[in-house]
Protein backbone atom coordinates (compact mmCIF):
# COMPACT_ATOMS: atom_id res chain seq x y z
CA UNK A 1 0.00 0.00 0.00
CA UNK A 2 1.60 3.36 -1.06
CA UNK A 3 2.55 5.77 1.66
CA UNK A 4 0.81 9.14 1.65
CA UNK A 5 3.56 11.80 1.82
CA UNK A 6 1.15 14.13 3.54
CA UNK A 7 0.80 11.64 6.38
CA UNK A 8 4.46 10.52 6.35
CA UNK A 9 6.87 13.53 6.32
CA UNK A 10 9.91 11.30 5.77
CA UNK A 11 8.46 10.25 2.42
CA UNK A 12 8.08 13.80 1.08
CA UNK A 13 10.26 15.07 -1.77
CA UNK A 14 12.64 17.98 -1.06
CA UNK A 15 10.84 21.31 -1.27
CA UNK A 16 11.27 23.41 -4.37
CA UNK A 17 12.46 26.26 -2.16
CA UNK A 18 15.22 24.05 -0.76
CA UNK A 19 16.36 23.10 -4.26
CA UNK A 20 16.27 26.70 -5.43
CA UNK A 21 18.33 27.80 -2.42
CA UNK A 22 20.92 25.12 -3.16
CA UNK A 23 21.20 26.08 -6.83
CA UNK A 24 21.46 29.80 -6.03
CA UNK A 25 24.24 29.09 -3.53
CA UNK A 26 26.06 26.97 -6.09
CA UNK A 27 25.69 29.72 -8.71
CA UNK A 28 27.02 32.31 -6.24
CA UNK A 29 30.08 30.17 -5.50
CA UNK A 30 30.78 29.74 -9.23
CA UNK A 31 30.41 33.49 -9.86
CA UNK A 32 32.68 34.38 -6.95
CA UNK A 33 35.29 31.90 -8.16
CA UNK A 34 35.11 33.39 -11.65
CA UNK A 35 35.53 36.89 -10.20
CA UNK A 36 38.56 35.81 -8.17
CA UNK A 37 40.21 34.34 -11.29
CA UNK A 38 39.26 37.30 -13.53
CA UNK A 39 40.60 39.86 -11.05
CA UNK A 40 43.65 37.67 -10.25
CA UNK A 41 42.87 37.91 -6.53
CA UNK A 42 44.33 34.44 -6.14
CA UNK A 43 47.66 35.69 -7.52
CA UNK A 44 47.52 38.81 -5.36
CA UNK A 45 46.75 36.69 -2.31
CA UNK A 46 49.77 34.50 -3.03
CA UNK A 47 51.98 37.56 -3.51
CA UNK A 48 50.62 39.10 -0.29
CA UNK A 49 51.65 35.96 1.60
CA UNK A 50 55.12 36.01 0.02
CA UNK A 51 55.52 39.69 0.97
CA UNK A 52 55.21 38.71 4.64
CA UNK A 53 58.45 36.71 4.34
CA UNK A 54 60.54 39.47 2.72
CA UNK A 55 63.29 40.70 5.02
CA UNK A 56 63.85 44.39 5.81
CA UNK A 57 66.97 44.23 3.67
CA UNK A 58 65.02 42.84 0.70
CA UNK A 59 62.31 45.45 1.21
CA UNK A 60 64.94 48.19 1.29
CA UNK A 61 66.36 47.00 -2.03
CA UNK A 62 62.99 47.36 -3.76
CA UNK A 63 60.39 50.06 -4.25
CA UNK A 64 58.16 48.18 -1.77
CA UNK A 65 54.70 49.46 -2.63
CA UNK A 66 52.87 48.42 0.59
CA UNK A 67 54.65 51.25 2.44
CA UNK A 68 53.25 54.05 0.25
CA UNK A 69 50.49 56.45 1.33
CA UNK A 70 48.60 59.01 -0.74
CA UNK A 71 49.53 62.58 0.26
CA UNK A 72 47.73 64.18 -2.68
CA UNK A 73 44.47 62.36 -3.33
CA UNK A 74 42.42 62.96 -6.50
CA UNK A 75 43.52 66.55 -7.15
CA UNK A 76 41.69 67.83 -10.24
CA UNK A 77 43.75 69.18 -13.14
CA UNK A 78 41.84 72.39 -13.96
CA UNK A 79 40.17 72.71 -17.36
CA UNK A 80 40.98 69.11 -18.41
CA UNK A 81 37.75 67.36 -17.46
CA UNK A 82 37.12 66.29 -21.08
CA UNK A 83 40.72 65.60 -22.14
CA UNK A 84 41.41 62.16 -20.56
CA UNK A 85 44.82 62.04 -18.88
CA UNK A 86 46.54 59.03 -20.43
CA UNK A 87 50.08 58.79 -19.05
CA UNK A 88 52.63 60.47 -16.81
CA UNK A 89 56.43 60.81 -16.84
CA UNK A 90 59.00 62.43 -14.57
CA UNK A 91 61.81 64.61 -15.95
CA UNK A 92 65.00 64.56 -13.82
CA UNK A 93 66.27 67.48 -15.92
CA UNK A 94 63.47 69.92 -15.04
CA UNK A 95 62.20 68.22 -11.85
CA UNK A 96 58.71 68.38 -13.30
CA UNK A 97 56.12 65.95 -14.65
CA UNK A 98 54.72 65.59 -18.14
CA UNK A 99 51.30 64.12 -18.86
CA UNK A 100 49.75 63.36 -22.24
CA UNK A 101 46.06 63.87 -22.98
CA UNK A 102 44.59 61.29 -25.32
CA UNK A 103 41.17 62.61 -26.32
CA UNK A 104 42.30 66.13 -27.23
CA UNK A 105 46.01 65.59 -27.98
CA UNK A 106 48.38 67.78 -26.00
CA UNK A 107 51.17 67.61 -23.44
CA UNK A 108 50.84 69.28 -20.08
CA UNK A 109 53.79 70.06 -17.82
CA UNK A 110 53.04 69.80 -14.09
CA UNK A 111 54.80 70.59 -10.84
CA UNK A 112 55.39 67.74 -8.44
CA UNK A 113 52.31 68.96 -6.57
CA UNK A 114 50.10 68.62 -9.66
CA UNK A 115 49.90 72.30 -10.61
CA UNK A 116 49.75 73.12 -14.33
CA UNK A 117 52.78 74.95 -15.75
CA UNK A 118 52.00 74.87 -19.48
CA UNK A 119 50.10 73.05 -22.23
CA UNK A 120 51.73 72.01 -25.52
CA UNK A 121 49.35 71.07 -28.40
CA UNK A 122 50.24 67.90 -30.34
CA UNK A 123 49.60 68.23 -34.07
CA UNK A 124 49.36 65.02 -36.11
CA UNK A 125 48.69 62.66 -33.21
CA UNK A 126 45.43 60.72 -33.23
CA UNK A 127 45.32 59.10 -29.79
CA UNK A 128 48.53 59.61 -27.76
CA UNK A 129 48.41 57.14 -24.87
CA UNK A 130 52.00 56.53 -23.77
CA UNK A 131 54.74 58.95 -22.72
CA UNK A 132 58.26 58.75 -21.27
CA UNK A 133 61.17 61.13 -20.73
CA UNK A 134 64.49 59.99 -22.21
CA UNK A 135 67.79 61.92 -22.31
CA UNK A 136 68.57 65.59 -23.05
CA UNK A 137 65.00 66.85 -23.35
CA UNK A 138 63.76 63.96 -25.50
CA UNK A 139 60.31 62.49 -24.98
CA UNK A 140 58.92 59.34 -26.59
CA UNK A 141 55.19 59.36 -27.34
CA UNK A 142 53.10 56.33 -28.35
CA UNK A 143 50.00 56.82 -30.49
CA UNK A 144 47.86 53.76 -29.79
CA UNK A 145 45.47 54.27 -32.71
CA UNK A 146 48.19 54.72 -35.33
CA UNK A 147 50.62 52.21 -33.74
CA UNK A 148 53.45 54.73 -34.04
CA UNK A 149 56.20 55.77 -31.61
CA UNK A 150 57.58 59.29 -32.06
CA UNK A 151 60.67 60.71 -30.32
CA UNK A 152 60.29 64.47 -29.87
CA UNK A 153 62.53 67.14 -28.38
CA UNK A 154 61.25 69.95 -26.19
CA UNK A 155 62.75 72.77 -24.18
CA UNK A 156 61.50 75.68 -22.10
CA UNK A 157 60.48 77.58 -25.26
CA UNK A 158 58.49 74.80 -26.94
CA UNK A 159 54.93 75.97 -27.61
CA UNK A 160 53.69 73.36 -30.12
CA UNK A 161 54.78 69.98 -31.54
CA UNK A 162 54.13 68.56 -35.01
CA UNK A 163 54.59 64.80 -35.38
CA UNK A 164 55.88 65.15 -38.94
CA UNK A 165 58.96 67.03 -37.66
CA UNK A 166 60.35 64.08 -35.67
CA UNK A 167 61.56 60.47 -36.18
CA UNK A 168 58.74 57.92 -36.16
CA UNK A 169 58.80 54.16 -35.62
CA UNK A 170 56.11 51.69 -36.64
CA UNK A 171 55.12 49.48 -33.73
CA UNK A 172 53.58 46.84 -35.99
CA UNK A 173 50.45 44.77 -35.67
CA UNK A 174 49.02 43.85 -32.25
CA UNK A 175 46.81 40.91 -31.36
CA UNK A 176 44.04 43.38 -30.54
CA UNK A 177 44.46 46.51 -32.64
CA UNK A 178 42.01 48.41 -30.46
CA UNK A 179 43.91 47.51 -27.28
CA UNK A 180 47.45 47.85 -28.58
CA UNK A 181 50.56 49.72 -27.40
CA UNK A 182 49.75 52.37 -24.84
CA UNK A 183 52.57 52.14 -22.28
CA UNK A 184 56.21 53.18 -22.52
CA UNK A 185 59.10 53.76 -20.12
CA UNK A 186 62.76 54.70 -20.54
CA UNK A 187 65.25 52.41 -18.81
CA UNK A 188 68.52 54.38 -18.49
CA UNK A 189 70.47 51.49 -16.92
CA UNK A 190 69.86 49.15 -19.83
CA UNK A 191 69.62 51.89 -22.46
CA UNK A 192 66.31 50.74 -23.82
CA UNK A 193 62.65 51.63 -24.12
CA UNK A 194 60.15 49.36 -22.42
CA UNK A 195 56.85 49.13 -24.30
CA UNK A 196 53.57 47.71 -23.06
CA UNK A 197 50.53 46.33 -24.88
CA UNK A 198 47.24 46.92 -23.10
CA UNK A 199 45.41 43.63 -23.70
CA UNK A 200 46.47 40.93 -23.43
CA UNK A 201 49.20 42.45 -21.23
CA UNK A 202 52.64 42.09 -22.78
CA UNK A 203 55.99 43.92 -22.67
CA UNK A 204 58.61 44.60 -25.33
CA UNK A 205 62.04 46.25 -25.34
CA UNK A 206 63.60 48.46 -28.00
CA UNK A 207 67.27 49.38 -27.71
CA UNK A 208 68.41 53.02 -27.81
CA UNK A 209 71.36 55.12 -26.72
CA UNK A 210 69.00 57.77 -25.39
CA UNK A 211 68.94 59.67 -28.68
CA UNK A 212 66.18 59.85 -31.27
CA UNK A 213 67.60 56.73 -32.93
CA UNK A 214 66.28 53.29 -31.99
CA UNK A 215 68.41 50.31 -32.98
CA UNK A 216 67.35 46.89 -34.22
CA UNK A 217 63.76 45.74 -33.73
CA UNK A 218 61.52 45.63 -30.72
CA UNK A 219 61.71 42.30 -28.88
CA UNK A 220 59.03 40.68 -26.74
CA UNK A 221 59.86 40.12 -23.09
CA UNK A 222 58.79 36.58 -22.13
CA UNK A 223 56.82 36.78 -18.87
CA UNK A 224 54.11 34.95 -17.02
CA UNK A 225 54.06 37.57 -14.25
CA UNK A 226 51.63 39.97 -15.94
CA UNK A 227 48.54 38.44 -14.33
CA UNK A 228 46.54 41.64 -14.74
CA UNK A 229 43.32 42.40 -16.61
CA UNK A 230 45.07 45.05 -18.66
CA UNK A 231 48.33 47.04 -18.81
CA UNK A 232 47.83 50.81 -18.63
CA UNK A 233 51.28 52.26 -17.97
CA UNK A 234 54.92 51.49 -17.15
CA UNK A 235 57.67 53.22 -15.22
CA UNK A 236 61.23 52.25 -14.27
CA UNK A 237 62.59 53.11 -10.82
CA UNK A 238 65.96 54.86 -11.37
CA UNK A 239 67.27 53.64 -7.99
CA UNK A 240 66.60 49.89 -8.22
CA UNK A 241 65.92 49.34 -11.93
CA UNK A 242 62.64 47.68 -10.98
CA UNK A 243 59.61 48.07 -13.25
CA UNK A 244 56.25 49.41 -12.13
CA UNK A 245 53.26 48.02 -14.05
CA UNK A 246 49.94 49.84 -13.73
CA UNK A 247 46.55 48.24 -14.46
CA UNK A 248 43.43 50.40 -14.54
CA UNK A 249 41.06 47.44 -14.85
CA UNK A 250 42.66 45.54 -11.97
CA UNK A 251 43.02 48.70 -9.81
CA UNK A 252 46.59 47.59 -9.18
CA UNK A 253 50.21 48.77 -9.27
CA UNK A 254 52.67 45.89 -9.51
CA UNK A 255 56.44 45.91 -8.93
CA UNK A 256 58.69 43.56 -10.94
CA UNK A 257 62.40 43.09 -10.23
CA UNK A 258 65.23 43.12 -12.80
CA UNK A 259 64.45 39.47 -13.63
CA UNK A 260 60.78 40.23 -14.18
CA UNK A 261 59.63 38.52 -10.97
CA UNK A 262 56.83 39.99 -8.85
CA UNK A 263 58.11 41.77 -5.73
CA UNK A 264 55.25 43.81 -4.27
CA UNK A 265 51.93 45.40 -5.18
CA UNK A 266 49.60 48.20 -4.17
CA UNK A 267 45.84 48.15 -4.57
CA UNK A 268 44.21 51.34 -5.82
CA UNK A 269 40.90 50.77 -4.05
CA UNK A 270 39.40 53.25 -1.61
CA UNK A 271 40.42 52.66 1.99
CA UNK A 272 43.89 51.37 1.10
CA UNK A 273 47.24 53.24 1.03
CA UNK A 274 45.60 56.45 2.18
CA UNK A 275 43.06 56.64 -0.67
CA UNK A 276 39.66 57.94 0.37
CA UNK A 277 38.04 56.57 -2.78
CA UNK A 278 39.01 54.12 -5.51
CA UNK A 279 41.10 55.66 -8.30
CA UNK A 280 38.53 55.69 -11.15
CA UNK A 281 40.81 54.71 -14.02
CA UNK A 282 44.54 54.91 -13.36
CA UNK A 283 46.27 55.54 -16.70
CA UNK A 284 49.73 56.88 -15.83
CA UNK A 285 52.46 56.31 -13.24
CA UNK A 286 55.85 57.92 -12.63
CA UNK A 287 58.56 57.69 -9.98
CA UNK A 288 61.35 60.17 -9.23
CA UNK A 289 64.89 59.70 -7.90
CA UNK A 290 63.63 60.11 -4.32
CA UNK A 291 61.16 57.26 -4.74
CA UNK A 292 58.05 59.45 -4.70
CA UNK A 293 55.21 58.03 -6.79
CA UNK A 294 52.84 60.00 -9.01
CA UNK A 295 49.71 58.88 -10.85
CA UNK A 296 47.05 60.32 -13.13
CA UNK A 297 43.58 58.95 -13.69
CA UNK A 298 40.93 59.65 -16.26
CA UNK A 299 39.41 62.10 -16.62
CA UNK A 300 41.77 64.61 -14.94
CA UNK A 301 42.82 63.43 -11.47
CA UNK A 302 46.32 63.68 -9.97
CA UNK A 303 47.79 61.60 -7.13
CA UNK A 304 51.04 61.66 -5.21
CA UNK A 305 52.25 58.84 -2.93
CA UNK A 306 55.10 58.99 -0.44
CA UNK A 307 56.75 56.19 1.47
CA UNK A 308 55.78 55.91 5.13
CA UNK A 309 58.78 56.22 7.40
CA UNK A 310 59.18 53.29 9.80
Amino acid sequence: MPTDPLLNPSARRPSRFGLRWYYWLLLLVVLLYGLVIAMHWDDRGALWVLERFESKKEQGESVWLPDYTAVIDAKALPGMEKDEASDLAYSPLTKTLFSVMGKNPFLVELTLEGDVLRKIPLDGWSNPEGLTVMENGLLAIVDERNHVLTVVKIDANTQRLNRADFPQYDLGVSKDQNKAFEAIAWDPRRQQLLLGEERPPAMFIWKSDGSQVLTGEKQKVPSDELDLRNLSALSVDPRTGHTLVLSADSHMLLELDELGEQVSFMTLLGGFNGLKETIPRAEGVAIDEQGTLYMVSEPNLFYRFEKTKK
Side-chain angles (χ1 to χ4, degrees):
M1 183 176 181
T3 303
D4 188 341
L6 294 176
L7 300 176
N8 185 2
S10 62
R12 295 177 190 172
R13 290 178 298 176
S15 70
R16 292 182 179 178
F17 174 78
L19 287 173
R20 286 200 300 267
W21 180 86
Y22 173 79
Y23 288 133
W24 278 114
L25 179 60
L26 182 62
L27 178 61
L28 180 60
V29 169
V30 172
L31 289 175
L32 286 174
Y33 178 76
L35 182 62
V36 166
I37 297 301
M39 295 293 289
H40 296 283
W41 288 343
D42 53 337
D43 298 304
R44 297 289 78 78
L47 181 56
W48 183 85
V49 171
L50 290 175
E51 284 180 345
R52 305 309 102 190
F53 294 95
E54 295 284 349
S55 67
K56 291 295 182 182
K57 180 177 182 296
E58 290 170 324
Q59 293 180 24
E61 293 172 348
S62 67
V63 180
W64 202 249
L65 296 171
D67 287 349
Y68 279 83
T69 301
V71 294
I72 299 179
D73 188 357
K75 179 177 180 177
L77 300 176
M80 302 182 200
E81 296 83 358
K82 299 180 180 180
D83 296 316
E84 295 185 357
S86 294
D87 204 356
L88 189 67
Y90 170 74
S91 172
L93 186 64
T94 60
K95 310 297 183 187
T96 59
L97 297 162
F98 287 89
S99 183
V100 66
M101 301 294 152
K103 191 172 183 180
N104 301 302
F106 66 88
L107 284 175
V108 57
E109 187 174 8
L110 306 168
T111 68
L112 302 184
E113 287 72 42
D115 297 321
V116 177
L117 295 173
R118 59 173 170 164
K119 297 179 182 179
I120 303 173
L122 297 174
D123 297 331
W125 278 268
S126 177
N127 185 30
E129 288 283 342
L131 167 74
T132 192
V133 175
M134 299 175 68
E135 311 283 348
N136 304 316
L138 296 180
L139 278 71
I141 302 174
V142 169
D143 192 314
E144 184 181 25
R145 188 170 300 155
N146 292 334
H147 312 283
V148 171
L149 184 158
T150 308
V151 183
V152 306
K153 187 173 180 62
I154 68 169
D155 56 31
N157 299 315
T158 302
Q159 298 181 355
R160 200 173 198 97
L161 292 170
N162 190 313
R163 198 181 76 174
D165 296 336
F166 302 99
Q168 301 175 39
Y169 298 88
D170 185 2
L171 292 174
V173 177
S174 297
K175 185 174 182 179
D176 186 342
Q177 291 292 84
N178 295 319
K179 299 293 181 181
F181 289 94
E182 76 162 50
I184 188 169
W186 170 243
D187 185 344
R189 288 189 178 193
R190 301 173 183 86
Q191 290 288 286
Q192 63 191 17
L193 286 167
L194 185 62
L195 294 153
E197 279 187 311
E198 181 181 5
R199 191 179 291 120
M203 293 193 301
F204 297 75
I205 58 170
W206 205 329
K207 290 293 183 179
S208 170
D209 59 0
S211 72
Q212 290 178 298
V213 178
L214 306 187
T215 58
E217 301 288 337
K218 72 178 192 300
Q219 299 178 354
K220 188 171 184 178
V221 179
S223 175
D224 56 3
E225 300 292 300
L226 298 176
D227 42 28
L228 300 164
R229 294 180 64 196
N230 81 319
L231 194 160
S232 302
L234 296 166
S235 189
V236 176
D237 178 23
R239 304 162 305 157
T240 63
H242 289 191
T243 301
L244 298 177
V245 185
L246 182 65
S247 173
D249 290 349
S250 295
H251 298 291
M252 189 76 61
L253 181 64
L254 183 64
E255 177 187 3
L256 305 179
D257 65 16
E258 61 276 6
L259 299 177
E261 301 291 333
Q262 295 182 4
V263 177
S264 70
F265 76 97
M266 178 170 69
T267 182
L268 307 180
L269 301 175
F272 293 90
N273 296 89
L275 293 169
K276 292 181 180 178
E277 297 181 0
T278 298
I279 298 180
R281 186 163 186 83
E283 291 287 341
V285 63
I287 187 168
D288 64 22
E289 62 267 30
Q290 305 303 318
T292 303
L293 282 172
Y294 309 89
M295 287 188 202
V296 287
S297 169
E298 292 182 355
N300 65 328
L301 301 178
F302 176 84
Y303 300 80
R304 173 171 165 158
F305 295 83
E306 294 180 0
K307 205 163 190 177
T308 306
K309 295 181 180 179
K310 293 186 178 181

